[in-house]
Amino acid sequence: MTSGANGEHGVPVPPGYRLVSKLGEGGRGIVFQAIHIELDQPFAIKFFRPPGQGASTLFDWRTQTEVHSCCRREMQHMQLLRHPGIVQVFATGQRDGWSWLVMEYVPGGALRRRLRPGRPWPLARTSALLAQIADALAYCHRVGVLHLDLKPENILLRDGRWAKLSDFGLSQSSFELLDDPGALCAQGTCDYCAPEQRFGLPVDERSDVFSLAAIAYELLAGCVPGRVYVPVVRRNPTVSPQVDAVLAQGLARDPDDRFGSVREFWHFLRPALHAPAGLRALMSVVWPFPKSWRRRR
Amino acid sequence: MSIFQVVPSGDQWSREEILAALFEESGDALFLFDVENAQILDVNPMAQKLTGFCRRELLSMTVIHLFRPDQHHGLERLRQAFRRTGHFHSQEGFYLRHRHDGVWVPVNISVTRLHTQPRVLGLLTVRDISDRKQAEEVLRESEARFRQVWECSLDGMRLTDAQGTIVAVNEAFCRMVGLNARQLEGQLLSVIHAPEHRDRVLASYRGRFAKRQFDGLVARKVHLWDGRHIWVEMSSAFLERSGTPLLLCIFRDVTERKRTEECVVKHQNELQSILDTVGAVIWECDPHTLQFHYVSQQAERMLGYPVEAWLHEPDFWRRHIHEQDRDWVVEYCRRATEELRDHTLEYRMVAADGRVVWIRDIATVVAQSGQVHKLRGLMVDISEVREKQEQLRYNEERFRLLADNAFDVVAEISEDGRHRYVSANVTQVLGYAPEELVGQLAGRWVHPEDLPRATAEFRKDAARCTYRYRHKNGQWRWLESSMRRFTTPSGEHRAVVITRDISEHVRAEQLLSTEKEVLEAVATGRPLGEVLHLLCTGAETLCSGMKASVLLLTPQGTLVHAAAPSLPEEYRRLVDGIVIGPEVGSCGTAAYWGRPVIVADTYTHPLWKDFRHLAQRFGLRACWSMPVFAVDGRVLGTFALYHEQVHEPTAEEQRIIERFGRLAGIVIERQRIYDKVLESEAKYRSLVENLEQNVFMKDRQFRFVAANQVFCKSLGCSEAEIIGKTDFDFYPAELATKYRADDERVLREGIRLEVEERNLDRGQERWVRVIKTPVRNAQGEITGLLGIFWDVTHQRNLEAQMRHMQKMEAVGQLAGGIAHDFNNLLTAIIGNLELAASQLGQAGLPEPGPCDTGTLVRAALEASQRAAALTRQLLGFARRTPLHIQPVVLRQVIEDTFALLRRTIDPRISLEMQVAEDVWPVSGDAGQLGQVLMNLCLNARDAMPAGGRLCVTAENCTLDERAAQFRPEASAGSFVRLQVSDTGSGIAPEVLPHIFEPFFTTKEPGKGTGLGLAVVYGIVRQHRGWIECQSQPGQGTTFTIYLPSAQHTTNRPAPATKPKAPQRGCETILVVDDEAMLRNLAQLILMQLGYRVLVAEDGYEALEIYGKHRDDIDLVILDLTMPKLSGRDTLQKLKELDQDARVLISSGYSSDAELLQTLDRGAVVGFVGKPYTPAQLAQAVRQALDGQPVACDAIQTSTTPEVDRVSGV
């Protein structure tokens, strides 16, 4: 595919790249896998639709202008961020009203693909993954960027192990927040979104803490948390009661009741994950044994 | 149902989840508080959003603190009330505190008491109504503004509903109509109008209201209730108040303005109408530029240019002056203006449509203090006056020119009947000079016969009259005059007369009417003599004093009178029959040379030298003759005019004689053509009517236009009934459609169509052969079609039978060929077997058993003989079996057959025989006929497995030629009809055509040979008879055989031939046969009988051997069919070689036996048919050698030809 000519879906082909296949499509844009012709390396290119070109579906509540601002925000924020746990942006471009981000290509897909309802992850793997996400998120907060759309769909897993945060389309700069508290509109994915974010109240790091806690809950319990905290132990007996205490605080409806930062959250969650499970947990561990044990005999 | 019932009763988490969701997602701000101290216990996100405080901050506050301090006491009251009543519903007027100082959010609150333990909680629901409040505020302001406008406006305002009831009025309105608001509000709007207008106004208002249709700003007159009328301008707008549509009307009193306007307009109109009605253009212009300042409307009407053009086009006046007048007019104007002189001048201007308009321009110089200020004036259109003057002059001139140069003479006659004026052209018309006529009486030279009539006519005021008038040269001229009386300005009564010479016209009319009369007579088919008589009379009328005659030229070159009404009878008789020639009077010469001959004086003219005595005797002094030509230039006769005086024809007469000559030509030729057509018509009609074929003609619309009698008869109608109708009227739709399609094709493609098709003859279906061909007119256009058709049903039947016969012949040929070869083979087999058997017999073997050689040979011999019998049957079918022809009595044959049958046939079948006593004998072979009968009876038996009746009849019948036509095999003559009928199963129609074919059988395999009927057919045909078969499945079958009778011969039983012992001999015999097998067999047989045998393979060898041993050879056995030299040629050569040669013919073909008759019988002494047995051969040889007449087993020589007849193939 030569540069300049418009490829599939009418997207322009960034110079020097060759579009290979479509990775995904959303309200804001289309993501293609592309090959840099000279480097012969794969990249992911995210195209943002030109303002006014109606591509948003009926179910997308954002207006076109919002989409455009999302795009601009994502481009600005992602260019700021350099972290192994965050998808790196290499270049940006614009043509025919389309804008694009040339990003690191992460083979392996999103965390969502590895979650099965009612099937919790093993504790060790959960711990390793959450550590990476928490680290990356803490880095963002340090730099002054709130992700605000943290969810399994936006966590990419390289080789199934290395987590990378992506999709900073809703991300907010801390400075922006100060300037214009009303800029944040009710956006985000309900299940992982902090209540204050949903109701248009002021957001801060604690909103991302909520999302992170929700992801942790899902990894451990095999389902997303409700408004009323149901202990993980009830769903996954291998988890220690301490974990419930930490997650309940992380998922508090009032940000004031939550941990103040991701770092703090992780500080309490990590030991809790490694704490011994309760009696019920022991039972559930022992139960499978007799059969195999008998067989061994 | 409680919302908690949607989750399992024991699941506390889910209940809590629902509760939490309701609390959190509520669109209202919710505050949960302690009823006792109003302390806030929990808030939802909306509460945080509304107040701007975060939850923690809110939890440290009381409910009371949320509201504006000036409402605290109210809230306190609320709290107290809540304690008592438990609920406090939706109440407005509260303002919620916001984080930012000074911002108060208007809210609607409601409080609910929650029945919780241990302490009672309250739930405060707060709804933000700031948006609504803001809107109300805006509304209130606008309301206030509107009210101010309403009250202070100078314009009257009125608010009315759909019915026209006044809802509100303002002060100005009240002033305008002179009533106060109390009197108006609640009343119908028509209350302000004068009573007589009220209904109309109200109806109009309601109608418009319903359609929401009110004009914009319109001034209208209102007749008020108190008699005043005012002018108002009204504008309106629709409003809506609590769902009721209202109309706001704003009125402005414009009465004063209207009055002023009316006044001004009135004055302007008056002035303008005055200016416009003046027939002149009033103008004002600048004296220097001559540019108009003002022109009245008349300007536009006068020249057609718009007033604007007059006013704004620079130099308009100068440019539109006619170019011939322009220079002097402008110059004159300028000078007069300079001299401050008023001036009037007449000139031409060019109008917009190009008209030239004469203008009288009266200009006044308006001066101020000695200076020209402006020019003012009047322009009057004087074109009409000018034109009239011109016209008058022109008319005078024109009249004179007209009168003098017209063909018609114009004269003016005074009351006393004398000419007062005669136009100059009278000289050309009547020869008189005008001055000769002026003063003379007008009727002086009028023909005396016409004078009274003319005088009477001319007494009238206006008249038209035709009369004769004497030319100055004495000729009478036909004149036509029209007269009109008039009165001169001096009061004198006069008449103007316009006269035209119509002599030529009158004569031409007479000529035409004569021609018309003649042609009409021709057209109505009057006899030639009568028409020519009419023609002559006409010519005599035209040329007074002349006698006309028409002579016809006969093919012999003589002339005979056809018409000569005025010539003496005797003259006519004398002239009739004169032979035309180069100098034979006028007519004879004219007919001879084919050109007109004008003889002015017959007494002296050389052409008349032979007829002068006739001319003198009958006083015919002049004779002009005109040859009468046919279209192709042939001379048909002459047309002649005689005069009693010496007379040279005038040009007029010359023309008449030519025309009548031509007319006579038309008449005669037409008559001749008519006669020919009639003759031809009669000829063709008789031809068509006498045709045996059906003949008809149709037009392009497929209607019959002609039909001959045969066709009429076939349709069963008369010709008149047929003509004008179509096929659809006579034939069923299916046939008619087909015919129509053919007709269309013929008409469309112009081709000749020849087809065979079905047709009906008086309702009977038949096959006809049809030829349809287009009929064309002289221009080659197809005008219709001609159809001829004839019945071919019979022909078709014959053809089918013929085909069948030919097939049978072909099959016969084939079968015969095969059978012949078989025959040869069988001859050899049988012969050899017999020899073998006889040798075995001679050997006298002691013990004959089932397996000894003798038995085997005999069995083989038997089988071979059966094969030979079968072959003979085949040959019988192929008609190659030689017949013993003799008179046969059929009764005997039938009886013999029945005798055989009775023994073998099923007793349930009854046999009947009906043979007339006098049945003629037939000439035939009794054995073969028995075979025929037997085969037929056996067939009948097989057809009646359950019994029935088998009947054989024989009777005489004589067929004439006509009856014989119905079968191709049949011929006329006397026959015996032999019928074999049964009551059996019958023969299926599809099988019927095949029954006589050999090897065709419907019997089971092994039951029949398929040769039975084939043999019957062959034998019957060989007897020169024929066989027919009628059969109906289930009804039985009848075979009818016709056999030629032998009534001239008497019954002579055939001599019985008994087998004799082989007759031996010792003579020398030459056997000539190309087939080695037969040759050897013959040799063997003959040698055993003691003969000496020589053999030859072909004719040449035979001749060679005969040449060598001519003295030894006593007999030659000769095969007739041989290669190289045929038997016939060999016979011929043998005879040449030896006059006394004796030859025995041997052949498998019975036809060869017939051939024998044509040969020289001298040499031939016998015939032996193949295959022969040794005994047969021995007998034939012996008889031949013994010199007896030829009487072999196979042929009966006789002197009676009937008996000695062998039918051929």
Side-chain angles (χ1 to χ4, degrees), chain B residues 33 247 396 490 615 722 812 939 958:
Chain B
F33 63 94
L247 181 74
E396 178 71 25
S490 54
I722 292 171
N939 257 13
T958 306

Side-chain angles (χ1 to χ4, degrees), chain A residues 133-247:
Chain A
I133 300 171
D135 193 32
L137 211 49
Y139 166 78
C140 291
H141 292 172
R142 207 160 56 236
V143 173
V145 174
L146 302 179
H147 189 287
L148 295 184
D149 195 13
L150 199 61
K151 54 186 174 181
E153 284 83 355
N154 291 341
I155 294 165
L156 305 180
L157 289 181
R158 176 185 284 276
D159 307 330
R161 291 171 65 192
W162 308 109
K164 295 219 176 237
L165 303 191
S166 72
D167 203 349
F168 280 67
L170 294 183
S171 61
Q172 295 276 330
S173 137
S174 314
F175 310 110
E176 238 179 320
L177 282 177
L178 288 174
D179 291 346
D180 182 7
L184 195 67
C185 42
Q187 290 175 343
T189 312
C190 283
D191 288 330
Y192 304 93
C193 188
E196 66 272 18
Q197 190 180 344
R198 282 184 48 224
F199 292 103
L201 297 173
V203 292
D204 52 23
E205 291 176 33
R206 292 174 296 182
S207 303
D208 278 342
V209 170
F210 183 92
S211 302
L212 181 59
I215 290 168
Y217 187 95
E218 190 174 9
L219 285 168
L220 293 170
C223 65
V224 291
R227 285 183 182 74
V228 176
Y229 186 81
V230 179
V232 179
V233 179
R234 286 172 62 91
R235 301 202 164 117
N236 184 357
T238 62
V239 176
S240 74
Q242 284 99 311
V243 172
D244 270 328
V246 177
L247 287 184

Side-chain angles (χ1 to χ4, degrees), chain B residues 876-922:
Chain B
F877 165 69
R879 280 172 267 158
R880 285 177 183 171
T881 314
L883 295 180
H884 296 269
I885 298 292
Q886 59 193 27
V888 175
V889 177
L890 280 177
R891 171 183 286 274
Q892 205 172 336
V893 177
I894 298 166
E895 278 172 354
D896 290 351
T897 311
F898 271 28
L900 274 174
L901 279 174
R902 281 210 178 85
R903 260 176 254 146
T904 56
I905 210 163
D906 189 329
R908 285 178 294 175
I909 297 173
S910 66
L911 296 173
E912 285 177 30
M913 182 175 78
Q914 294 170 4
V915 182
E917 281 300 317
D918 60 342
V919 167
W920 298 319
V922 297

